[in-house]
Amino acid sequence: MLEILGARQKELLRLLLKNKSGMTADELSEGLHITRNAARQHLAALETDRLVEKGATRPSGGRPEQLYRLTDKGRELFPRHYSWFAELLIESIKATAGEEGLRDRLREMGEQVANQLRNQNPELATPEEKVQKLSEIMEQLGYNASHDIHAGADPTIEADNCIFHHLATHNPDVCQFDLALMSAFTERAVDHQECMAKNGNVCRFRLYEKGK
């Protein structure tokens, strides 16, 4: 998203990144060499996008000065190297535990997350409710997921975006995390019918009764 912001807004965000405790509208206008009103307009737009928020106030000779700071979402606009670090962790586990040990660990992690999510949603009773809720959770996580539930057919979940795509392309075993999470959350077996990490157009999962 950073690339679609205007030049002034990018500069404003960079100033706030350097000044973690926050800056006033006057300080931002001075740092950007723009008027105070222009600075406030940029702040209002960035607040609407939830990239900037009001922080603490700072005592002054008169009225306390309002400080503005980056939100977590705003900080995430700047480069992060999570996938690189995740690859290091994956390779480290593989080196010490072997490939099967890595798969076991990923499955354990998926089941742990599923149990946490199920505890947060104790009202879910039927398989259909669990599949629908899982699809909603995946959508919130960025999978761009949708579900298909029809009477007499096994439900499916389809995702257009793999949030681990780069990692899974180099380490396909990463998919074991998703599969274990989905199975433990829905209490159903999972058939991974199509996978983007294996050149599929989407990730498609069929969730069917265990032992079927």
Side-chain angles (χ1 to χ4, degrees), residues 138-169:
M138 292 175 67
E139 173 68 17
Q140 293 167 5
L141 291 173
Y143 284 87
N144 197 31
S146 60
H147 60 278
D148 189 4
I149 300 175
H150 293 292
D154 293 324
T156 61
I157 291 179
E158 191 171 289
D160 296 325
N161 180 51
C162 173
I163 63 175
F164 305 121
H165 187 263
H166 177 78
L167 188 61
T169 300

